[in-house]
Amino acid sequence: MTKRTQSKIDRRRFLSRSAKAAASIAAAGIVAATLYDKEGPRTGIGSDELVTLRDFSVEHRPGKIMSVVKGPDRTGAVNQALDLLGGIERFVSQGDTVAIKPNVAFASSAMLGATSNPELVAEVVRLCYARGKAKKVFVLDNPINDPASCFRWSGIGKAVSQVGGKVILPRESMFRHTSLEGGKLIRNWPIFSEPLEKVDKLIGIAVVKDHQHSRASMTMKNWYGLLGGRRNIFHQDINTIIAELAMLVKPTLVILDGIQTMITNGPTGGSLSDLKQTNTLIASCDMVAADSYGCGLLGLKPSDLPYLGKAENAGVGTTDYESLKPMLAI
Amino acid sequence: MKAETGRSKRLETVVSIILLGIISIICLCIILRQSPRITQSGDVPDLLSLTPQGFTAPSITEVYNSGNLYEKINGKAPQYTESGFERLFTQRFAGDNDELIELYLYDMGNLRNAFSVYSIQKRPQTEALPNTKFGYKTSNSLYFVHGKYYIELIAYSESEKLIEAMVQIGKSLRGKLEIDQTAEIAELSLFEQENIVAGSIKLYLANTFGFEDLTETFSSRYIIDGQAVTGFLSKRTNAAEADTLAKSYSDFLIENGGSIKKAINKNIGSTVKNQSLKIFDFYDTTEIVFSTGPFVAGVHEAENQQAAEKLALLFMNKLAGMVKSK
Amino acid sequence: MKIVQTRRISQAFFFTLFLWLCIVSTIGDKLWQLRNWPVNWFLQLDPLTAIGTILTTHTLYRTLAWALVTIVLTIIFGRFFCSWVCPFGSLHHFVGFLAHRKKTNAQKIKLNKYRKAQRIKYFVLVFVLAMAAFPSLAATLQTGLLDPIPLVTRSFNLVLVPIFDRAANVTSATPRFYEGAWLIFTIFLTAILLNIVFPRFYCRFICPLGALFGILGRFAIWRIGKTQSKCSNCMLCEKSCEGGCEPAQSIRIAECVLCFNCRQDCEDEVICYQSRGSLAGEITDPDISRRGFVLSVVSGVFAVGAVRFGNKLGGNWSHKVIRPPGALAEEEFLKRCIKCGQCMRICPTNVIQPGGFQGGLENLWTPVLNNRIGSSGCQLNCVACSEICPTSAIRPISLPEKLGTDEFADTGPIKIGTAFVDRNRCLAWAMDKPCIVCQENCPVSPKAIYTQEVFNTIRDGLLKVKKVSGNIVETIENNLKQDSFSTGDYFCAIKGERYKIIANSENSIETSAEEKFKEKLVAGDKIEIQIRLQKPYIDISKCIGCGVCEHECPVSGKKAIRISAEGETRSPDRKLLLKS
């Protein structure tokens, strides 16, 4: 190798290296400029982006807002109640993904009535598939006791999977923070939102239960099961949180099961003597109306439950369910 | 080969000098940057830097607002909070043998407020503080107004060293606090200087002499024929308002047990045209009220009626001159 | 003038500057106090801190932009920082020199050979950056554990400066205490002593920052190399080689720390800092295999999982981890804290302490308040820690924001925890002894601690009257302790009324003469000796968790009033009250 070629090679290497160095410097500069944060973190509180829950409700049909069916047969009653409102086809369209939120709060037997009835939940799942032509039906809740045990002992897990529904057990990563606009309590609070982000419809299935704290647990209180975090702090202001939940969640439909009502020792019960046969099942697009009717099964008036008034004032629905001219089938 | 070595040695020196130059520049920048910060936390004035030589600051600057002022000065708090108080900063300085100096820096919002709390609390028979418009000292403490600030400096012993350090703190504090130099209290020039007791002017922002409506009122003591007499004056927005106030104050005096009495000096009634001049007997003292132009003025609880009338005349002439010159 | 001398001057300058900045990190305005000294400058120049926080937060906090200067200079000139600026490097350099100065040249050359283990530092770097880089897996910033700048800052601030300042107390009003300082010191000492094995042991084998510089300096325009491929092969150039980069053969650019000793030692004068590569060949890339790289990334990712398995950010969070006011929510905090100890150094009361493992491994050396140490809890009118934090893990807050005044009146004060009274230990609650120290010291206005007055009959306090004369009651019992009831807290209960006791003898009780007995007492009547107690209660809507009460509590072993992190403003999910 001559001295000349050597110096030529050196020169080429030098230039290529310089180019690479310049490119690295430019890259570092661009990264720094892009990510430069002059302000720094503004609040000390977690900076998660807030999510908002979708509005799952369907087209309003006057006169077909709420139906009440009397009788002891749950599956029959729910079919009849839905048909009165226009059938499940009105609520679930072909190819929809549906989320069903039953009350699975406790790991207790279905017999005790502290949780939604598994046959009823399964029947709704079945209807979604068979008549609503749903693509997929999820069943979800964030129970108070261990989730897997709750779905198992309540019988809901098994009943749902037999008809092709899929149970979603809550995991921490599925919760996102949300704030209710104009809300006092639901501010930057984790909510079981991830599964709801990928569904088209949301159906709530609740039981009529006595509740020590709020006096009655029905369809509105059922949404408590979407809250994450240390939600029991809200027990310091139970009426406001129930009303705010009703403002936050806009379901397609709610089903209130009052075939049996837990009239004492709620919300857990524990004895069959806590239950009373009340032979009523309600399907409704208006949660407030459904709960206003349902509280009668506990011997309460809507005015006994402050959260109903709060929700009504917020425009969620009406406590004057008679005005909706509910369709009755006895 | 040798030449090249020589050159590289020179280069080495040059590079070294450049590098040392850079280091020197870094050093210089750091030294320039380290000058003390104006504020330590938020907008708390930096009082620690006032620490005199040989002293230490045993605690950080304490800050009080109107909500917790009573924690520091207890029952005296309302006097400040009702006079536009904004914040109090306190700082202790400790010398040898735990000799303490404590600094109270009251931010009163403006000069008037600061002057008011200063003047009302002013201790009698004290020595004026040089280089301050409003200030005095006692054997162990300094009190003065500096712009919107009212400042108290208290030494917890009378040792010479401590007093010296205290005076030093006062001086450097005046140099440090930025104030509105143009602010002044116009009414002070309205007082007749003859026979006045120096430094006796007080400003009551409200509730003067127990009368609610008598706001923004200045008072001053005079020695007339060997008698101590207190005169007062207050400037209102216009003559009508001044007249109304003079009347309502007269009514207030009568309601509270005062009665009108005749003047000894016959001339007093004709000096000002205004008919609102009244002389009261108020529990064996003489109270005089009158208004002229936008001013309400008078004499408060004088032991001697003659002296009181003399002072009222002095006020009338001075104020009438002011009204005319405008 | 020789370049090696210049390097020594530079090292001496930056080391002195570092030491000086450690000393001046003291609140105050004297020349040797905080003023405006750039006390975070070394931390800000550290690109590992900048890159680590970029990976975790996806932002570059403004002051950390200084790192760009270091990065650009390294890209152009190579790993200059290690031999010219780094205070930890200079310390190793010096100690290594002392340890090996009497060795023969042959021994020294052997000592400074390149060793395979020098690749470990790259694995360390990749490992900590992998921990920081995967947000979906919970990114955690652990660069500060081994990054030399936070390490040396921590060691000087929390151990060495306080030790040297024990007598003079220039850097603090009273001697300082730092819990777990032994571990910080042990690591520091080990790193220093390892220079006896190899010079610059830490720099060559462990230092993740050195590794980062090695990678950044790949395309350095100027580099050390030979001007001829052949020389006398005396190997003297490797005698004092600080980096262990073998300049005699194919020089390893990533290991070269630009100490220029080779140039100085070369008798043939063939070694030069030049723009063309060494004629004896060079190895530009760090000695890190793809397998090693992948392994480090995978280990880092798994390590994040393992570290977070304690669920310390979830339900198993530690109530003992009380962060300074202004600290971000825990997850965000851990993305930024580099464990440098600046907040602990500046804290005027010494209450901020290096954390241990109570909050999991990630908590190590992060700031945690310990009210048992220091002069008095967290001072109300102080935000020094938030102002000094170099990465804004404790974000800068103003006094009004801390106290919830002025424009922050709506949001209220920043709470860092809540005080809880331990009623089993409290003198007033459990021992029937009057004590309201916590209430008296509560600095919040209105006080967050209030008391309720109760009167308890003391043990053996039921007495029988023998005789009454005026306000003196003689008792049948004659075993009372002279004047033990005269403190003003004891009362004599007579037929439903209470009278303050002002004196007592073995068999008589005298009550205040101002109050005559309402009921007539006769021999044989029963009276009770009662103590007045003011039992402390916490108003949790007022308590800010400053810890002054815990600090002052006279039950000194396990305090009878203690701060627990519940209720801290930065974690709304952990609040105790729905509305305050």
Side-chain angles (χ1 to χ4, degrees), chain A residues 269-282:
Chain A
S271 162
L272 289 176
S273 67
D274 291 327
L275 304 179
K276 183 181 161 194
Q277 196 71 23
T278 44
N279 292 337
T280 309
L281 188 134
I282 303 164

PDB file of all heavy atoms in Angstrom, chain A residues 269-282:
ATOM      1  N   GLY A 269     -77.124 -10.596  52.745  1.00  0.00           N
ATOM      2  CA  GLY A 269     -78.114 -11.608  53.127  1.00  0.00           C
ATOM      3  C   GLY A 269     -77.442 -12.765  53.829  1.00  0.00           C
ATOM      4  O   GLY A 269     -76.595 -12.559  54.705  1.00  0.00           O
ATOM      5  N   GLY A 270     -77.762 -13.970  53.433  1.00  0.00           N
ATOM      6  CA  GLY A 270     -77.111 -15.118  54.053  1.00  0.00           C
ATOM      7  C   GLY A 270     -78.134 -16.159  54.441  1.00  0.00           C
ATOM      8  O   GLY A 270     -77.807 -17.333  54.603  1.00  0.00           O
ATOM      9  N   SER A 271     -79.364 -15.720  54.562  1.00  0.00           N
ATOM     10  CA  SER A 271     -80.388 -16.685  54.946  1.00  0.00           C
ATOM     11  C   SER A 271     -81.524 -16.581  53.949  1.00  0.00           C
ATOM     12  O   SER A 271     -81.825 -15.504  53.425  1.00  0.00           O
ATOM     13  CB  SER A 271     -80.897 -16.364  56.350  1.00  0.00           C
ATOM     14  OG  SER A 271     -82.137 -17.009  56.552  1.00  0.00           O
ATOM     15  N   LEU A 272     -82.153 -17.714  53.690  1.00  0.00           N
ATOM     16  CA  LEU A 272     -83.294 -17.680  52.779  1.00  0.00           C
ATOM     17  C   LEU A 272     -84.415 -16.837  53.357  1.00  0.00           C
ATOM     18  O   LEU A 272     -85.237 -16.310  52.618  1.00  0.00           O
ATOM     19  CB  LEU A 272     -83.776 -19.104  52.493  1.00  0.00           C
ATOM     20  CG  LEU A 272     -82.831 -19.929  51.610  1.00  0.00           C
ATOM     21  CD1 LEU A 272     -83.334 -21.354  51.465  1.00  0.00           C
ATOM     22  CD2 LEU A 272     -82.703 -19.276  50.234  1.00  0.00           C
ATOM     23  N   SER A 273     -84.415 -16.722  54.675  1.00  0.00           N
ATOM     24  CA  SER A 273     -85.486 -15.928  55.297  1.00  0.00           C
ATOM     25  C   SER A 273     -85.334 -14.447  55.012  1.00  0.00           C
ATOM     26  O   SER A 273     -86.216 -13.656  55.288  1.00  0.00           O
ATOM     27  CB  SER A 273     -85.500 -16.177  56.807  1.00  0.00           C
ATOM     28  OG  SER A 273     -84.328 -15.645  57.372  1.00  0.00           O
ATOM     29  N   ASP A 274     -84.166 -14.037  54.468  1.00  0.00           N
ATOM     30  CA  ASP A 274     -83.997 -12.647  54.088  1.00  0.00           C
ATOM     31  C   ASP A 274     -84.722 -12.349  52.779  1.00  0.00           C
ATOM     32  O   ASP A 274     -84.836 -11.208  52.374  1.00  0.00           O
ATOM     33  CB  ASP A 274     -82.499 -12.328  53.898  1.00  0.00           C
ATOM     34  CG  ASP A 274     -81.753 -12.349  55.217  1.00  0.00           C
ATOM     35  OD1 ASP A 274     -82.373 -11.988  56.242  1.00  0.00           O
ATOM     36  OD2 ASP A 274     -80.574 -12.735  55.225  1.00  0.00           O
ATOM     37  N   LEU A 275     -85.122 -13.402  52.070  1.00  0.00           N
ATOM     38  CA  LEU A 275     -85.692 -13.228  50.737  1.00  0.00           C
ATOM     39  C   LEU A 275     -87.203 -13.323  50.780  1.00  0.00           C
ATOM     40  O   LEU A 275     -87.789 -13.986  51.631  1.00  0.00           O
ATOM     41  CB  LEU A 275     -85.155 -14.315  49.784  1.00  0.00           C
ATOM     42  CG  LEU A 275     -83.639 -14.396  49.659  1.00  0.00           C
ATOM     43  CD1 LEU A 275     -83.254 -15.515  48.709  1.00  0.00           C
ATOM     44  CD2 LEU A 275     -83.083 -13.069  49.176  1.00  0.00           C
ATOM     45  N   LYS A 276     -87.794 -12.634  49.824  1.00  0.00           N
ATOM     46  CA  LYS A 276     -89.248 -12.665  49.726  1.00  0.00           C
ATOM     47  C   LYS A 276     -89.598 -12.833  48.253  1.00  0.00           C
ATOM     48  O   LYS A 276     -88.956 -12.222  47.385  1.00  0.00           O
ATOM     49  CB  LYS A 276     -89.793 -11.333  50.256  1.00  0.00           C
ATOM     50  CG  LYS A 276     -91.297 -11.232  50.278  1.00  0.00           C
ATOM     51  CD  LYS A 276     -91.657  -9.836  50.812  1.00  0.00           C
ATOM     52  CE  LYS A 276     -93.075  -9.458  50.453  1.00  0.00           C
ATOM     53  NZ  LYS A 276     -93.314  -8.033  50.670  1.00  0.00           N
ATOM     54  N   GLN A 277     -90.577 -13.659  47.969  1.00  0.00           N
ATOM     55  CA  GLN A 277     -90.993 -13.862  46.593  1.00  0.00           C
ATOM     56  C   GLN A 277     -91.819 -12.649  46.174  1.00  0.00           C
ATOM     57  O   GLN A 277     -92.881 -12.379  46.749  1.00  0.00           O
ATOM     58  CB  GLN A 277     -91.836 -15.148  46.497  1.00  0.00           C
ATOM     59  CG  GLN A 277     -92.008 -15.679  45.095  1.00  0.00           C
ATOM     60  CD  GLN A 277     -90.710 -16.285  44.536  1.00  0.00           C
ATOM     61  OE1 GLN A 277     -89.828 -16.691  45.290  1.00  0.00           O
ATOM     62  NE2 GLN A 277     -90.594 -16.323  43.215  1.00  0.00           N
ATOM     63  N   THR A 278     -91.335 -11.879  45.218  1.00  0.00           N
ATOM     64  CA  THR A 278     -92.097 -10.683  44.829  1.00  0.00           C
ATOM     65  C   THR A 278     -92.512 -10.722  43.360  1.00  0.00           C
ATOM     66  O   THR A 278     -93.200  -9.801  42.891  1.00  0.00           O
ATOM     67  CB  THR A 278     -91.282  -9.411  45.100  1.00  0.00           C
ATOM     68  OG1 THR A 278     -89.953  -9.611  44.656  1.00  0.00           O
ATOM     69  CG2 THR A 278     -91.269  -9.061  46.571  1.00  0.00           C
ATOM     70  N   ASN A 279     -92.020 -11.742  42.611  1.00  0.00           N
ATOM     71  CA  ASN A 279     -92.553 -12.033  41.271  1.00  0.00           C
ATOM     72  C   ASN A 279     -92.631 -10.842  40.322  1.00  0.00           C
ATOM     73  O   ASN A 279     -93.649 -10.611  39.669  1.00  0.00           O
ATOM     74  CB  ASN A 279     -93.954 -12.642  41.397  1.00  0.00           C
ATOM     75  CG  ASN A 279     -93.891 -14.021  42.023  1.00  0.00           C
ATOM     76  OD1 ASN A 279     -92.852 -14.673  41.965  1.00  0.00           O
ATOM     77  ND2 ASN A 279     -94.972 -14.443  42.645  1.00  0.00           N
ATOM     78  N   THR A 280     -91.546 -10.066  40.269  1.00  0.00           N
ATOM     79  CA  THR A 280     -91.553  -8.902  39.382  1.00  0.00           C
ATOM     80  C   THR A 280     -90.231  -8.844  38.625  1.00  0.00           C
ATOM     81  O   THR A 280     -89.167  -9.060  39.220  1.00  0.00           O
ATOM     82  CB  THR A 280     -91.702  -7.600  40.195  1.00  0.00           C
ATOM     83  OG1 THR A 280     -92.829  -7.753  41.059  1.00  0.00           O
ATOM     84  CG2 THR A 280     -91.897  -6.391  39.298  1.00  0.00           C
ATOM     85  N   LEU A 281     -90.292  -8.552  37.327  1.00  0.00           N
ATOM     86  CA  LEU A 281     -89.060  -8.341  36.570  1.00  0.00           C
ATOM     87  C   LEU A 281     -89.256  -7.123  35.677  1.00  0.00           C
ATOM     88  O   LEU A 281     -90.289  -6.977  35.026  1.00  0.00           O
ATOM     89  CB  LEU A 281     -88.710  -9.571  35.734  1.00  0.00           C
ATOM     90  CG  LEU A 281     -87.326  -9.487  35.076  1.00  0.00           C
ATOM     91  CD1 LEU A 281     -86.566 -10.780  35.249  1.00  0.00           C
ATOM     92  CD2 LEU A 281     -87.404  -9.077  33.618  1.00  0.00           C
ATOM     93  N   ILE A 282     -88.266  -6.248  35.705  1.00  0.00           N
ATOM     94  CA  ILE A 282     -88.380  -4.989  34.973  1.00  0.00           C
ATOM     95  C   ILE A 282     -87.274  -4.912  33.923  1.00  0.00           C
ATOM     96  O   ILE A 282     -86.112  -5.228  34.212  1.00  0.00           O
ATOM     97  CB  ILE A 282     -88.246  -3.789  35.935  1.00  0.00           C
ATOM     98  CG1 ILE A 282     -89.305  -3.870  37.041  1.00  0.00           C
ATOM     99  CG2 ILE A 282     -88.370  -2.458  35.195  1.00  0.00           C
ATOM    100  CD1 ILE A 282     -89.020  -2.981  38.220  1.00  0.00           C
TER     101      ILE A 282
END
